[in-house]
Amino acid sequence: MTPVLRPARETDRDLVLPWRNHPSVRAVSLTTHEIRPAEHAAWWAARGGDVLIYEEDGVPAGVVIFNGSTWSFYLDVEGLGPRLLPAWMRLEKEAVEYAFGTLGLTTLGGETLADNKRVLALHRRFGFRETRRYERLVDGVPKTVVWTERSR
């Protein structure tokens, strides 16, 4: 299995919308409403250059988004099924290497909802540390957000 991060292509746009709209992804995201195609297309047009597609054995399986030294990700929960946890670990490894290698970043950070314990544990495993907690409105509901970061 050869995990890969590659720049997103226009043909990936409609592929990733169902991944983002999967109920388990929305439940732990900073946008919890179901994203409609027009909203997704507008986001893609504005962000497309920042989006990377995570592939396993040449098959698209997730998304990594870099915005400066901040990152986020989600996976194809439905398509990966029981391979989800190993894919999470491979994606995080690939993303960290990409950030510090290809992008040349010295620090990498991101926001995770406090109740997303599994991703927070994953980040700790890869050397991220919690630096602060704060409240943020998520689709109108106040939620606790944990900022984690790591240095090269």
Side-chain angles (χ1 to χ4, degrees), residues 1 11 22 44 46 83 87 90 96 117 128 132:
M1 190 168 309
T11 55
H22 191 279
W44 190 270
R83 298 173 296 145
R90 285 188 293 271
V96 167
K117 308 278 188 220
F128 286 83
R132 66 186 185 276

mmCIF file of all heavy atoms in Angstrom, residues 1 11 22 44 46 83 87 90 96 117 128 132:
data_model
loop_
_atom_site.group_PDB
_atom_site.id
_atom_site.type_symbol
_atom_site.label_atom_id
_atom_site.label_comp_id
_atom_site.label_asym_id
_atom_site.label_seq_id
_atom_site.Cartn_x
_atom_site.Cartn_y
_atom_site.Cartn_z
ATOM 1 N N MET A 1 0.841 -1.180 0.000
ATOM 2 C CA MET A 1 0.000 0.000 0.000
ATOM 3 C C MET A 1 0.883 1.238 0.000
ATOM 4 O O MET A 1 1.765 1.364 0.835
ATOM 5 C CB MET A 1 -0.891 -0.017 1.237
ATOM 6 C CG MET A 1 -1.955 1.028 1.192
ATOM 7 S SD MET A 1 -3.223 0.831 2.464
ATOM 8 C CE MET A 1 -3.695 -0.860 2.281
ATOM 9 N N THR A 11 -11.747 17.384 -11.198
ATOM 10 C CA THR A 11 -12.564 16.160 -11.235
ATOM 11 C C THR A 11 -12.764 15.544 -9.848
ATOM 12 O O THR A 11 -13.625 14.691 -9.678
ATOM 13 C CB THR A 11 -11.930 15.111 -12.171
ATOM 14 O OG1 THR A 11 -10.581 14.882 -11.745
ATOM 15 C CG2 THR A 11 -11.950 15.592 -13.616
ATOM 16 N N HIS A 22 -20.691 13.022 5.159
ATOM 17 C CA HIS A 22 -20.971 11.802 5.912
ATOM 18 C C HIS A 22 -21.318 12.200 7.356
ATOM 19 O O HIS A 22 -20.631 13.034 7.950
ATOM 20 C CB HIS A 22 -19.767 10.862 5.885
ATOM 21 C CG HIS A 22 -20.072 9.511 6.399
ATOM 22 N ND1 HIS A 22 -20.106 9.229 7.751
ATOM 23 C CD2 HIS A 22 -20.395 8.358 5.766
ATOM 24 C CE1 HIS A 22 -20.426 7.962 7.918
ATOM 25 N NE2 HIS A 22 -20.609 7.401 6.722
ATOM 26 N N TRP A 44 -14.930 25.119 -3.123
ATOM 27 C CA TRP A 44 -13.889 24.504 -3.938
ATOM 28 C C TRP A 44 -13.205 25.541 -4.831
ATOM 29 O O TRP A 44 -11.985 25.550 -4.960
ATOM 30 C CB TRP A 44 -14.487 23.384 -4.777
ATOM 31 C CG TRP A 44 -13.468 22.538 -5.475
ATOM 32 C CD1 TRP A 44 -12.948 22.734 -6.727
ATOM 33 C CD2 TRP A 44 -12.843 21.356 -4.977
ATOM 34 N NE1 TRP A 44 -12.045 21.753 -7.028
ATOM 35 C CE2 TRP A 44 -11.965 20.893 -5.965
ATOM 36 C CE3 TRP A 44 -12.949 20.641 -3.791
ATOM 37 C CZ2 TRP A 44 -11.192 19.743 -5.803
ATOM 38 C CZ3 TRP A 44 -12.183 19.495 -3.629
ATOM 39 C CH2 TRP A 44 -11.315 19.070 -4.629
ATOM 40 N N ALA A 46 -12.845 28.660 -4.276
ATOM 41 C CA ALA A 46 -12.019 29.545 -3.461
ATOM 42 C C ALA A 46 -10.816 28.831 -2.857
ATOM 43 O O ALA A 46 -9.776 29.434 -2.632
ATOM 44 C CB ALA A 46 -12.868 30.151 -2.334
ATOM 45 N N ARG A 83 -10.925 -0.121 7.302
ATOM 46 C CA ARG A 83 -9.551 0.378 7.103
ATOM 47 C C ARG A 83 -9.401 1.835 7.545
ATOM 48 O O ARG A 83 -8.375 2.463 7.328
ATOM 49 C CB ARG A 83 -9.166 0.253 5.629
ATOM 50 C CG ARG A 83 -9.170 -1.194 5.131
ATOM 51 C CD ARG A 83 -8.948 -1.280 3.639
ATOM 52 N NE ARG A 83 -10.058 -0.631 2.946
ATOM 53 C CZ ARG A 83 -9.951 0.062 1.822
ATOM 54 N NH1 ARG A 83 -8.791 0.190 1.235
ATOM 55 N NH2 ARG A 83 -11.007 0.620 1.262
ATOM 56 N N ALA A 87 -5.927 4.178 7.936
ATOM 57 C CA ALA A 87 -5.861 5.287 6.973
ATOM 58 C C ALA A 87 -5.656 6.612 7.699
ATOM 59 O O ALA A 87 -4.896 7.467 7.235
ATOM 60 C CB ALA A 87 -7.127 5.328 6.117
ATOM 61 N N ARG A 90 -1.996 6.787 8.529
ATOM 62 C CA ARG A 90 -1.165 7.039 7.339
ATOM 63 C C ARG A 90 -1.355 8.468 6.840
ATOM 64 O O ARG A 90 -0.389 9.130 6.464
ATOM 65 C CB ARG A 90 -1.486 6.031 6.240
ATOM 66 C CG ARG A 90 -0.894 4.654 6.516
ATOM 67 C CD ARG A 90 -1.058 3.710 5.334
ATOM 68 N NE ARG A 90 -2.446 3.353 5.080
ATOM 69 C CZ ARG A 90 -3.073 2.324 5.640
ATOM 70 N NH1 ARG A 90 -2.441 1.554 6.502
ATOM 71 N NH2 ARG A 90 -4.327 2.055 5.335
ATOM 72 N N VAL A 96 1.949 15.409 7.877
ATOM 73 C CA VAL A 96 3.026 16.018 8.653
ATOM 74 C C VAL A 96 4.308 16.083 7.817
ATOM 75 O O VAL A 96 4.987 17.114 7.765
ATOM 76 C CB VAL A 96 3.243 15.255 9.981
ATOM 77 C CG1 VAL A 96 4.550 15.660 10.654
ATOM 78 C CG2 VAL A 96 2.054 15.480 10.912
ATOM 79 N N LYS A 117 -12.264 12.927 20.794
ATOM 80 C CA LYS A 117 -11.154 12.335 21.557
ATOM 81 C C LYS A 117 -10.224 11.486 20.689
ATOM 82 O O LYS A 117 -9.023 11.446 20.903
ATOM 83 C CB LYS A 117 -11.695 11.469 22.698
ATOM 84 C CG LYS A 117 -12.700 12.159 23.583
ATOM 85 C CD LYS A 117 -12.034 13.003 24.609
ATOM 86 C CE LYS A 117 -13.053 13.524 25.611
ATOM 87 N NZ LYS A 117 -12.815 14.866 25.997
ATOM 88 N N PHE A 128 1.816 16.243 18.301
ATOM 89 C CA PHE A 128 1.105 17.512 18.484
ATOM 90 C C PHE A 128 0.819 17.691 19.970
ATOM 91 O O PHE A 128 0.589 16.724 20.688
ATOM 92 C CB PHE A 128 -0.220 17.517 17.709
ATOM 93 C CG PHE A 128 -0.048 17.662 16.225
ATOM 94 C CD1 PHE A 128 0.232 16.552 15.436
ATOM 95 C CD2 PHE A 128 -0.159 18.903 15.609
ATOM 96 C CE1 PHE A 128 0.390 16.670 14.073
ATOM 97 C CE2 PHE A 128 0.003 19.032 14.239
ATOM 98 C CZ PHE A 128 0.279 17.913 13.471
ATOM 99 N N ARG A 132 -4.046 25.473 23.577
ATOM 100 C CA ARG A 132 -5.130 26.274 24.157
ATOM 101 C C ARG A 132 -6.488 25.660 23.827
ATOM 102 O O ARG A 132 -6.598 24.836 22.926
ATOM 103 C CB ARG A 132 -5.069 27.723 23.692
ATOM 104 C CG ARG A 132 -5.318 27.939 22.219
ATOM 105 C CD ARG A 132 -5.071 29.418 21.851
ATOM 106 N NE ARG A 132 -5.396 29.703 20.479
ATOM 107 C CZ ARG A 132 -4.610 29.513 19.433
ATOM 108 N NH1 ARG A 132 -3.411 29.005 19.598
ATOM 109 N NH2 ARG A 132 -5.003 29.821 18.214
#
